[in-house]
Amino acid sequence: MNYVNSEKRPKQILYVWNYLDWGGAQIYFLALMKEAKKHAEVRAVMPEGSNPQLLKFLEALGVPCDFVPVHTDNKPAQGIKRKLERHYRKLRSEYVFCRFLEKYDLKNAVVHAEFAPWISFGALVWLALRTRIFTTVHNSVYPAQFWRHWIWKFKFGVLSRLKNFHIFTANEDAKKCLRGYVTPEFYDSIEVTYASINPKEIEDALALELNREELCRKFKIPAGKFLVFCVGQFIDRKGRWVFLEAAQKIAKEDSDIAFVWISNSAPPAEDLEKARSYGLGENFVFLTGEQVGRERNDLFSMIRLADVFALPSFLEGLPISLLEAMALGKAVISTRINGIPEAVKHLETGVLVEPGDAESLADAIRKLKSDAELRERLSAEARRYVLKKFDERSVAKKAFEIYKDSFVK
């Protein structure tokens, strides 16, 4: 398919996702948008009913939004009927989004969609036949039955042979997992565009006066205690129950530690009820991003309260919340999985434990609480390393150059 664009660069870049929950993928998109809007018209295409906090971030960036009247259903599905309903809703959502995108000048555009190749195969093929389509793989391909891997290999094999289909990965681990799924030539073309942080935002946040007592009082966080924070969706994949089990173990012997979890959205009432069943009382505080505030600095101020940042994920790419905590000078604990060790070097820039091991997580928290010198050394090295390697400005420039190159090749 031939494209007409005398400037040999995209005139419009569309960032697309079809689900209501938001998190690291959208923060990653925001970073790319800042650079892309210097060179082309940038728009965000998302479902109606998207989170007001995310819309506030896009508004502050000056990125217009277009809303599609459908969204996927990402809630857990039990039973065949429920699974079929969810699958139908996903397919319908992708069909409506693809038809919605026809309103744009796709011949002179780049579409960067948050569509996983092994899930949204049809939508990606449809887009690749009409425009230059990019998707970012944030996580490694998860373990599954062998027949699923054969299906995924077929899907990747088809997509990787389409001229206008491109993949970024958000970390090296995610790229390595694609070897064997795509053609060797396509594998070599995959670029790592790291999940990353904005150094200026970090420095601006650190320059603000922090009133610890006022923030603790406002959010009912026990003042004067050693604080362990986590920022991420309150879901199993993030290790929420491991976090609370470790907190429960510690609470039996040390009441001077409190735990705080900040999630982008509120979980079902039954999940919060289960969290309360761990018996932590005032020593566990759950907050949503909207409660914390609509500005990035509101979240950064909360993270600055932490003595330790702990993210005990089971499946992860390279979470931006972890990188931001490191850049803010926090000692971090996370799990030895996927892309996390690319940032957290054990006992160099943080502490790594095995996923699902609440006792090891509790031991790591105890050690960092009792050893202030180790805590300070890890936090200083974490900050230095992240600011040097994970700067969103260089990542965004790299991404735009690849967008532009897709008009030349």
Side-chain angles (χ1 to χ4, degrees), residues 38-273:
K38 297 175 185 177
H39 310 282
E41 180 193 355
V42 170
R43 302 188 76 85
V45 182
M46 69 188 83
E48 290 179 355
S50 290
N51 186 284
Q53 186 180 30
L54 175 59
L55 299 183
K56 182 77 173 177
F57 292 154
L58 289 162
E59 180 185 358
L61 193 57
V63 172
C65 304
D66 293 330
F67 299 97
V68 184
V70 294
H71 61 84
T72 58
D73 179 359
N74 291 329
K75 295 177 182 177
Q78 299 295 330
I80 294 176
K81 181 182 177 182
R82 175 76 180 87
K83 289 180 180 179
L84 288 174
E85 287 174 349
R86 189 174 71 170
H87 186 65
Y88 168 76
R89 190 161 180 174
K90 178 192 81 69
L91 292 175
R92 180 173 178 271
S93 145
E94 291 172 357
Y95 171 77
V96 174
F97 263 78
C98 286
R99 295 304 301 267
F100 186 90
L101 291 172
E102 289 180 336
K103 66 184 277 189
Y104 303 103
D105 178 14
L106 294 180
K107 288 186 177 181
N108 292 300
V110 159
V111 175
H112 194 153
E114 185 64 11
F115 290 165
W118 52 90
I119 296 174
S120 302
F121 172 71
L124 291 170
V125 169
W126 189 95
L127 288 167
L129 294 175
R130 290 160 175 81
T131 189
R132 296 158 181 83
I133 174 70
F134 287 77
T135 188
T136 300
V137 175
H138 295 272
N139 303 321
S140 297
V141 177
Y142 53 85
Q145 298 96 329
F146 76 92
W147 58 268
R148 284 189 182 274
H149 286 284
W150 279 109
I151 292 173
W152 294 342
K153 189 168 184 178
F154 167 77
K155 291 178 177 180
F156 273 107
V158 172
L159 287 167
S160 65
R161 288 171 171 82
L162 296 176
K163 177 184 175 183
N164 295 317
F165 177 71
H166 308 270
I167 287 180
F168 291 144
T169 63
N171 52 78
E172 290 286 352
D173 179 75
K175 178 175 179 177
K176 289 176 183 175
C177 86
L178 296 179
R179 191 185 294 276
Y181 284 95
V182 298
T183 64
E185 296 77 15
F186 188 90
Y187 182 85
D188 291 339
S189 76
I190 296 173
E191 294 285 351
V192 177
T193 52
Y194 271 111
S196 50
I197 55 96
N198 183 326
K200 185 178 185 306
E201 280 186 351
I202 295 295
E203 297 310 314
D204 288 348
L206 290 173
L208 295 175
E209 182 179 352
L210 183 69
N211 190 324
R212 185 183 179 93
E213 290 185 5
E214 181 180 326
L215 282 175
C216 287
R217 183 169 57 253
K218 179 180 178 179
F219 295 108
K220 298 181 180 179
I221 298 170
K225 294 192 175 184
F226 189 87
L227 298 179
V228 180
F229 271 61
C230 182
V231 176
Q233 287 292 90
F234 194 64
I235 55 178
D236 290 349
R237 181 170 66 82
K238 296 287 185 178
R240 56 182 174 174
W241 308 127
V242 177
F243 182 86
L244 289 172
E245 186 181 343
Q248 187 181 55
K249 291 177 181 293
I250 291 170
K252 291 177 181 178
E253 59 195 48
D254 188 348
S255 62
D256 195 34
I257 303 183
F259 298 80
V260 179
W261 190 297
I262 301 175
S263 175
N264 285 334
S265 58
E270 56 267 29
D271 289 353
L272 291 178
E273 185 62 31

Side-chain angles (χ1 to χ4, degrees), residues 9-10 13 35-36 39-40 396-404:
R9 65 170 60 202
I13 303 173
E35 177 65 25
H39 310 282
K397 287 177 181 176
K398 180 180 183 180
F400 181 77
E401 287 302 313
I402 297 169
Y403 293 157
K404 191 169 69 171

